Amino acid sequence: EVQLVESGGGLVQPGGSLRLSCAASGFTFSTRWMSWVRQAPGKGLEWVVNMKYDGSDIGYVDSVRGRFTVSRDNARNSLYLQMNSLRVEDTAVYYCVRMGSLDLRRTGDQWGLGTLVTVTS
Amino acid sequence: DIQMTQSPSSVSASVGDRVTITCRASQGVDTWLAWYQQRPGRPLQLLIYAASTLQTGVPSRFSGSGSGTHFTLTISSLQPEDFATYYCQQAGDYPYTFGQGTRLEIK
């Protein structure tokens, strides 16, 4: 069974930093693109970043580029999101998403339950 | 960025009803369009990919159609578990973007 378990969310002040983790299991992590998607409270979904299985291709949404850094450790089946210079508007549930393969590429075929990040003074 | 506009933003319906949700892209995305279902306490679920292909395990009452800029998700006969929020997502160009969501409520 595929599992994606996010952790690391919490309360942080504007300008602060937080590191999110996603523990993956039930599939060959090293062969899949992975993403982070976020959802502000009561709002819709926003794609934050995509990362190729070997780390050689990464794409950020403009609103986080230069502040957030995605990484992965294929030996530990883990995806990370380092978030710096956090802003109030970064407050959201952050979802770890496995991207599909072949015909399902560019599609999130498995999602975690998310971890809540709250940026407030 | 490609803007995705879903309509309606909410809809009330009864068990057994047929419901159609529309998603329009601000520019063509070919068939790079997916539909997701979000229910409280559950991971988001992929329903449809490539505009019209049913994801494995998803009931056949769900169907998708369209290409280019106009897409639809149809639920042929609503079941109690279908009352949820639905999102379209384009993957024709990065950054991938979502519609604002359609909340499907019980009448």
Side-chain angles (χ1 to χ4, degrees):
Chain A
E1 179 193 5
V2 173
Q3 281 201 310
L4 299 167
V5 180
E6 303 93 339
S7 60
L11 199 63
V12 62
Q13 292 187 332
S17 298
L18 216 51
R19 189 192 195 213
L20 306 184
S21 299
C22 170
S25 60
F27 65 100
T28 306
F29 181 76
S30 61
T31 64
R32 294 300 190 99
W33 286 71
M34 297 293 295
S35 298
W36 290 97
V37 174
R38 67 184 179 182
Q39 185 171 33
K43 303 295 185 182
L45 299 162
E46 181 181 37
W47 214 289
V48 175
V49 60
N50 271 7
M51 186 176 200
K52 194 175 180 178
Y53 43 82
D54 61 1
S56 63
D57 192 354
I58 297 172
Y60 295 95
V61 69
D62 284 349
S63 58
V64 308
R65 187 175 293 113
R67 301 187 299 120
F68 290 12
T69 303
V70 66
S71 61
R72 63 191 294 162
D73 184 339
N74 286 343
R76 296 179 182 271
N77 294 332
S78 294
L79 181 72
Y80 306 99
L81 186 65
Q82 177 67 44
M83 304 185 295
N84 298 331
S85 303
L86 281 161
R87 304 168 180 167
V88 170
E89 56 265 34
D90 294 318
T91 295
V93 174
Y94 286 72
Y95 299 103
C96 175
V97 182
R98 185 185 81 170
M99 303 303 288
S101 61
L102 303 174
D103 289 347
L104 281 104
R105 65 189 186 280
R106 308 190 194 180
T107 302
D109 70 348
Q110 295 289 340
W111 295 63
L113 285 172
T115 186
L116 176 62
V117 172
T118 304
V119 185
T120 181
S121 53
Chain B
D1 297 1
I2 297 176
Q3 305 302 312
M4 305 300 291
T5 303
Q6 271 182 250
S7 61
S9 56
S10 66
V11 56
S12 295
S14 301
V15 172
D17 284 353
R18 178 185 181 93
V19 168
T20 296
I21 299 168
T22 297
C23 184
R24 292 186 181 273
S26 60
Q27 61 190 78
V29 298
D30 195 11
T31 57
W32 290 105
L33 193 287
W35 290 96
Y36 301 89
Q37 179 192 65
Q38 185 174 38
R39 287 191 281 172
R42 292 173 170 264
L44 268 83
Q45 182 183 9
L46 173 66
L47 302 174
I48 302 283
Y49 63 94
S52 62
T53 304
L54 196 67
Q55 169 68 330
T56 302
V58 174
S60 59
R61 62 182 179 271
F62 291 91
S63 64
S65 66
S67 68
T69 62
H70 185 214
F71 302 89
T72 61
L73 171 71
T74 297
I75 311 171
S76 60
S77 178
L78 281 169
Q79 298 303 300
E81 61 268 28
D82 299 338
F83 292 94
T85 300
Y86 294 85
Y87 292 92
C88 62
Q89 173 242 319
Q90 69 80 19
D93 194 17
Y94 204 75
Y96 303 154
T97 46
F98 293 89
Q100 78 276 19
T102 295
R103 185 172 180 176
L104 178 51
E105 301 173 319
I106 300 175
K107 185 182 286 184

